[in-house]
Structures are given as structure tokens and as C-alpha cells.
Amino acid sequence: MDETVRTGLDGVVADETRLSAIDGDLGELTIGGFSLDELAGNATFEETLFVLYEDRLPTADELADFRDELAGYRSLAPATRTVVEAAAEGGQSAMDAARMGIASASLARPAADDGASGANGETASEEPERDALVAVSQLPTIVATYWRAREGAEPIEPRSDLSHAGNYLYMLTGEEPTDSEVRGLETYLNAVVDHGFNASTFTGRAIASTESDVLSAVTGAVGALKGPLHGGAPGPVLDMLDETHAADDVRAILEAKLDAGERLMGFGHRVYTVRDPRAAVLSEAAEAFYRADDGGDEDFYESAVETETVARDLLSDRRPDLDLETNVEFYTAIVLRGVGIPQPLFSATFAVARVGGWTAHALEQLADNRIVRPRSKYVGEYGRTWTSIDER
């Protein structure tokens, strides 16, 4: 029996999926059969979700019905709102609030008619497809409620007449977003909705493989995403961009960071040996947004582009042995800043997008399930003998 250890499951093909495909050498990402550059800037987020769930584009009537169904789950149960506000008042992070809130989202399920439960204690009200929609619909409300409480403001009730992306922006500020803001956020949500068997997605699939419920799978995925090695870089990217934007000499700032042994955030990726295709899509979205009549600070955008150019040049000179091309976090920071997402919510907004992929993967796992059960290689001792407590 092969006992080759691949730490971090590096290179291990654990299962099949129709949801997304990554070619790291060519810098290509396919989502639901569409190349990323075909999907991200054209689809609404609701259309992308439909593709992930149904494996096809919706008709106009199907899309209208799907939007209405999603909107119907946006409001939080009182207890969920209470725990999310308590997280904000207690100084917890947005990701902690997201984990607490989504763990209580089962309160949005209809009560079981007769209290019946299955062999493992699941209630009769558990429905995987509905739970997927509950998770996708409620996570933006959870994050927005957290932010309003953190800022000392009353929560804003969701609106069913706004799109998924538009409603999220509205709940953060109480102001209806511009078309450019909605399109910018939708492009971001589409670009990061799914990305193979990354750590959070694989966590969710492993949970679903036990035939647990979809909301438990999403809760575990949120916990995995909270780790700084998975989804935490856009915030530090924005810190760097703010620093270079205020500087007279971008090269000097970046050289000083490298001389001090610091990483330039937003460059390099474990999977891609060339520029991250999501960075390419989001760079186009950023340019379109910042140059639009109702867009953002064009000077900041120009400064960010200069920072990318200088950083890639420096990294190529100093580390020619590494493939340190621009990754998704670099332009994530630029786009999210532009459309009005506060920096402390960057990782949670990533979750607002990726929950679409998490739920689709959980449903795919449940449809043709085999429990995830890898082996381990024992490296401990053998043959030890027991010593009684009075002889140790």
C-alpha cells in the first residue's frame, strides 16, 4: 500500500467536480463551463449561482423566480441578529460574526410539522437545496448587520427589489448603490465564487460527506476561510496601496520593504505560475469602475497600477526563481475599496461570494457521496510498556 505523504494534500486529486477547473500554468479558470473572462463581467451573481446549481443558464422567467426565492431568505431570525450584534459589540472580527451568524441560520428553516427526525437526529425541515439558498441569501445580511452594529448604527432591512450585490451594498450604507458600484461588486463576486478544492471548499465537502447538513458545511468553510493563509491578504494589499499612493517615489517604498525582508502583498500564488486570471478580470473591472462617470478616485487607481508595474519589475529582478505574478488579492483590494466595502469586511465579502461555491460543492458531494476519509502515516513510537503512576 502506497504510504507516500503529500503534506497539505499537494497534488492529490480527491474527487471529480463540474463546478470549476484551474490551469495554473496557462493562467486559466473555468467556472461552470465558462471561462472566467466570459462569465465574470457579463453575468449577474444570481445567474452565476444558477449555473453552479443547475449546470446551465436560466431563462428570463427562471432567473426572475430564482431572484425572488433568494430575496425571500434575506431577513435574519431575531436570535441570529442578536448574536451578530453581540459579536460586533464584543469586538469580534467580521469573520467571527459570519461564523456565528451562519451557524444559527438554521433558525430560518420552517419548523418540522411533527417533530420527526431521521436516524442521525436531523429534523424533518432540513432540505439541502433550500439550506444552500438560505446560506447564500443570509450571509450578506449577517455581514451588513455586523458592520452597522460595529459602527453604532441601526441595521438596515434587506430590500427584495434590489439585486443580490446591490442589496448588500445598500444594507451597509442605507443608500442605493450606483450602477457602476453594483457591476463592480458583481464582477468581483463572480470572479471568486469558486476555485477548485481550496481549503475552505474542501472543508465544506468533507463535512457534507458525513451527510451533515449544508449549513454545517458552510459554517466549517467559514472557519477555514478565517485563517490568514487562505483569505486574509486583500486588507494588507490596501494598506500597501494607500502607502504608495501617498508617496512621491513608489519604487523607493517597495525597495525598502523588500530590503527589510517584507513580502509585497498581492503577488504570487500556490496554483498559478503566471498572472492569476482573476487578477486580469478584476483589473479590467477596476479600470471600468474608476474611469466611469459615477466611479471612484481615479488618482488612486492610477497609483495602484503604477505600484503593480513597479512591484512586478522588482520581484522579477530580485526573485527570478519564483513566479511572483499579480494574484487575485491585489485587484480585490482596489475593486472593493472603489465600490465602498470597508476594509475590515474584505475577507467577509470574499465569503459572501465563495458561499455560492461552497453550497454548490456541498450539493454536488451529497448527490454522489462517499465519506472523505484519508489515511495518515504513523511516525510515533511502538512497543511502549505501561508504568504505574507511583513509579514515574
Side-chain angles (χ1 to χ4, degrees):
M1 184 176 293
D2 183 13
E3 290 198 350
T4 301
V5 176
R6 294 181 176 88
T7 305
L9 301 182
D10 189 28
V12 173
V13 178
D15 208 337
E16 298 178 338
T17 182
R18 63 163 180 81
L19 299 174
S20 63
I22 304 165
D23 189 320
D25 294 328
L26 295 179
E28 295 177 352
L29 174 61
T30 299
I31 295 178
F34 294 90
S35 65
L36 184 63
D37 57 357
E38 181 76 13
L39 181 74
N42 291 316
T44 64
F45 190 58
E46 290 91 333
E47 287 175 304
T48 297
L49 291 172
F50 194 96
V51 167
L52 291 177
Y53 294 151
E54 303 294 337
D55 200 21
R56 62 180 175 85
L57 287 170
T59 66
D61 288 343
E62 287 174 329
L63 181 59
D65 290 343
F66 185 60
R67 283 173 168 163
D68 288 344
E69 189 174 10
L70 280 170
Y73 291 120
R74 286 174 179 167
S75 295
L76 304 182
T80 298
R81 174 174 161 177
T82 296
V83 74
V84 170
E85 291 177 336
E89 292 161 5
Q92 302 295 310
S93 72
M95 288 301 294
D96 283 320
R99 172 178 49 78
M100 297 175 197
I102 207 67
S104 68
S106 56
L107 294 169
R109 293 173 178 150
D113 292 336
D114 57 3
S117 62
N120 295 319
E122 74 276 11
T123 65
S125 63
E126 286 184 9
E127 295 178 11
E129 291 80 8
R130 186 200 57 228
D131 283 355
L133 300 187
V134 167
V136 169
S137 300
Q138 294 211 351
L139 198 52
T141 310
I142 288 167
V143 176
T145 298
Y146 162 85
W147 181 250
R148 299 286 295 180
R150 173 176 155 154
E151 295 297 289
E154 288 295 313
I156 295 172
E157 289 300 313
R159 280 173 48 178
S160 60
D161 61 317
L162 295 176
S163 69
H164 191 79
N167 178 67
Y168 179 43
L169 292 172
Y170 168 74
M171 289 189 296
L172 290 173
T173 65
E175 298 179 3
E176 193 165 327
T178 67
D179 291 344
S180 292
E181 288 169 340
V182 173
R183 183 63 259 171
L185 180 59
E186 280 196 314
T187 301
Y188 169 73
L189 298 179
N190 290 336
V192 302
V193 67
D194 195 49
H195 200 244
F197 279 16
N198 57 82
S200 58
T201 296
F202 190 73
T203 297
R205 286 193 73 126
I207 293 171
S209 80
T210 70
E211 297 189 354
S212 184
D213 63 296
V214 171
L215 291 173
S216 292
V218 172
T219 302
V222 171
L225 182 62
K226 182 188 173 187
L229 295 184
H230 187 7
V237 169
L238 185 58
D239 290 336
M240 180 182 72
L241 294 177
D242 284 336
E243 185 178 357
T244 56
H245 181 51
D248 294 327
D249 189 339
V250 171
R251 181 173 291 271
I253 291 289
L254 299 182
E255 285 181 332
K257 289 182 179 296
L258 292 172
D259 290 341
E262 296 181 29
R263 288 180 56 200
L264 298 187
M265 305 306 295
F267 298 90
H269 194 279
R270 180 171 171 176
V271 174
Y272 295 107
T273 59
V274 294
R275 194 184 195 208
D276 189 330
R278 298 168 297 175
V281 164
L282 292 178
S283 68
E284 294 178 4
E287 181 174 15
F289 173 79
Y290 281 94
R291 297 198 192 286
D293 292 338
D294 58 350
D297 181 355
E298 194 167 348
D299 287 342
F300 174 82
Y301 169 73
E302 297 289 355
S303 171
V305 171
E306 179 187 3
T307 298
E308 180 191 21
T309 301
V310 174
R312 291 174 71 184
D313 182 53
L314 288 173
L315 291 170
S316 177
D317 286 345
R318 295 196 180 205
R319 297 303 306 269
D321 55 316
L322 298 178
D323 299 306
L324 297 177
E325 292 288 338
T326 313
N327 65 32
V328 66
E329 277 93 4
F330 188 87
Y331 276 97
T332 288
I334 299 168
V335 170
L336 293 187
R337 176 192 185 275
V339 302
I341 302 295
Q343 183 175 345
L345 300 186
F346 280 7
S347 291
T349 302
F350 187 104
V352 166
R354 187 56 62 84
V355 67
W358 292 335
T359 51
H361 275 276
L363 295 175
E364 185 178 64
Q365 180 70 39
L366 290 169
D368 184 20
N369 188 46
R370 184 177 184 183
I371 190 170
V372 174
R373 180 59 173 89
R375 297 177 62 245
S376 61
K377 182 177 181 179
Y378 179 66
V379 295
E381 298 287 337
Y382 286 95
R384 285 176 167 169
T385 57
W386 187 256
T387 304
S388 62
I389 188 70
D390 57 347
E391 295 178 352
R392 294 179 205 165

